[in-house]
Amino acid sequence: MARKLPADHTAPAGDPPDPRPATSRRAFLKTLGAGAATMVALDILETTAAVSGGTAPPPAAATAPPLPDVGEPDLLLRMQADLRRALRKPVHLRRWVMAIDLRRCIGCHACTIACVAENKLPPGIVYRPVLEEEIGTYPNVTRRFLPRPCMQCENPPCVPVCPVGATYRRADGIVAMNYDQCIGCRYCITACPYGARTFDFGHTYTEGTVDAAPAVLGRSGAEGYERATAHEYKQRRERRGQASPIGNVRKCHFCIHRIEAGVLPACVTTCVGRATYFGDASDPDSLVAQVISRPNTMRLKEELGTRPRVYYLL
């Protein structure tokens, strides 16, 4: 069995060589983060394999079950209607839940890219990686994919360890970050058993690149895009100097700025296989509530008592 893991969350491939000694604090932290992310990814894939009996599912096109019979309109429109109905309820009565059908995930990474573009994420920050596993021996080989957003735990280990209360659980259950409060101690990264948090070192994709001729988009032209204003947590933030979120811990937040505007998270709307469901689980008529009630659902590392709000369909 051979495994291929996603790019490290804290050490992007395009990052230029660090000119400082290898024993610098930054280099040590990046190395430590890479090792931790690898261990978490392996652990999660092994957990999924154990739950599914340790065998890889056949190709999705051959075995994927029919989608829930919701009639017209499309699943996305049905979930958006569910979302807007939930927004009419008091915030403390909403229970946002995500469900991911692993039989329908084709590993295209569209959700990952959509999340990066939506939240203007820099190198090393990925809120929704897709873990990959290759199973079998040639020519009998298949692959398994596992998208891994933040689990939005009902009992989040990352919250009590924060010494300044910068991470907290909202009334609707989403675990959020207060960038202005965060001191960058990274205790929460260590506490998260899912590896769902990463540290923003302030990198940009255009670091070390050249400024091209006028007819070509060079560093100065491309830099404007990655420094564009982000709207996480419904706040306007530009990547300038050392201002937050640079120097802070970052994580998936179910696209709060979108859902409170009545729009589904970016990873949901871009899923070409319709593998991701989202909605208010406290509404029995919502599509996501119907999906997670099925017997073939599981949550990662339930034995830890974290009570994740991300479900997987096997």
Side-chain angles (χ1 to χ4, degrees):
M1 177 185 302
R3 291 188 176 90
K4 178 182 178 182
L5 296 176
D8 168 50
H9 305 166
T10 58
D15 205 20
D18 192 340
R20 293 176 297 179
T23 54
S24 69
R25 180 172 179 268
R26 178 173 165 182
F28 171 76
L29 289 171
K30 290 176 71 175
T31 303
L32 185 64
T38 302
M39 294 301 295
V40 169
L42 284 170
D43 197 15
I44 288 174
L45 285 172
E46 288 171 355
T47 299
T48 309
V51 171
S52 61
T55 57
T63 62
L67 291 167
D69 183 13
V70 298
E72 297 294 337
D74 181 84
L75 287 178
L76 292 180
L77 297 179
R78 162 74 185 279
M79 288 190 285
Q80 183 147 314
D82 293 344
L83 170 65
R84 292 178 177 176
R85 187 168 63 251
L87 292 176
R88 293 196 288 269
K89 300 162 58 176
V91 64
H92 67 280
L93 296 181
R94 305 169 196 160
R95 183 170 177 264
W96 300 126
V97 161
M98 182 172 287
I100 302 172
D101 192 337
L102 298 182
R103 299 164 300 184
R104 292 192 171 278
C105 179
I106 59 174
C108 68
H109 295 262
C111 56
T112 303
I113 301 302
C115 177
V116 169
E118 175 67 27
N119 296 295
K120 307 294 187 294
L121 300 182
I125 306 291
V126 180
Y127 289 169
R128 186 181 164 108
V130 178
L131 309 184
E132 298 184 22
E133 183 177 19
E134 184 176 292
I135 301 167
T137 304
Y138 179 83
N140 301 310
V141 176
T142 187
R143 297 182 70 81
R144 173 162 39 203
F145 308 102
L146 187 137
R148 197 243 48 216
C150 171
M151 298 292 119
Q152 313 294 349
C153 304
E154 294 184 18
N155 184 25
C158 55
V159 170
V161 300
C162 180
V164 295
T167 188
Y168 58 97
R169 191 163 176 267
R170 294 167 26 121
D172 58 8
I174 294 176
V175 179
M177 282 293 303
N178 183 338
Y179 288 143
D180 296 321
Q181 193 78 12
C182 178
I183 59 175
C185 68
R186 285 163 269 192
Y187 286 175
C188 56
I189 293 179
T190 304
C192 177
Y194 303 102
R197 288 171 170 260
T198 46
F199 186 77
D200 190 338
F201 285 95
H203 297 306
T204 62
Y205 287 102
T206 52
E207 285 178 7
T209 59
V210 298
D211 213 352
V216 181
L217 184 64
R219 175 171 51 82
S220 57
E223 192 178 45
Y225 173 78
E226 63 178 328
R227 293 194 183 280
T229 302
H231 297 274
E232 291 182 275
Y233 305 107
K234 300 193 296 183
Q235 301 168 348
R236 292 176 55 86
R237 292 187 183 274
E238 298 180 1
R239 294 183 67 78
R240 302 291 179 190
Q242 296 300 312
S244 291
I246 295 173
N248 299 145
V249 172
R250 306 182 65 174
K251 63 178 287 299
C252 159
H253 41 71
F254 277 176
C255 283
I256 290 173
H257 57 289
R258 288 173 62 99
I259 61 177
E260 294 197 345
V263 182
L264 293 166
C267 58
V268 177
T269 58
T270 53
C271 180
V272 298
R274 296 288 194 272
T276 303
Y277 302 87
F278 181 82
D280 177 18
S282 67
D283 177 1
D285 295 326
S286 69
L287 179 59
V288 76
Q290 297 170 7
V291 168
I292 65 173
S293 67
R294 295 186 173 190
N296 58 325
T297 58
M298 56 84 72
R299 294 183 291 182
L300 296 177
K301 300 187 177 183
E302 286 192 84
E303 69 278 9
L304 299 180
T306 53
R307 302 174 66 186
R309 284 194 175 182
V310 174
Y311 293 75
Y312 291 93
L313 277 69
L314 302 175

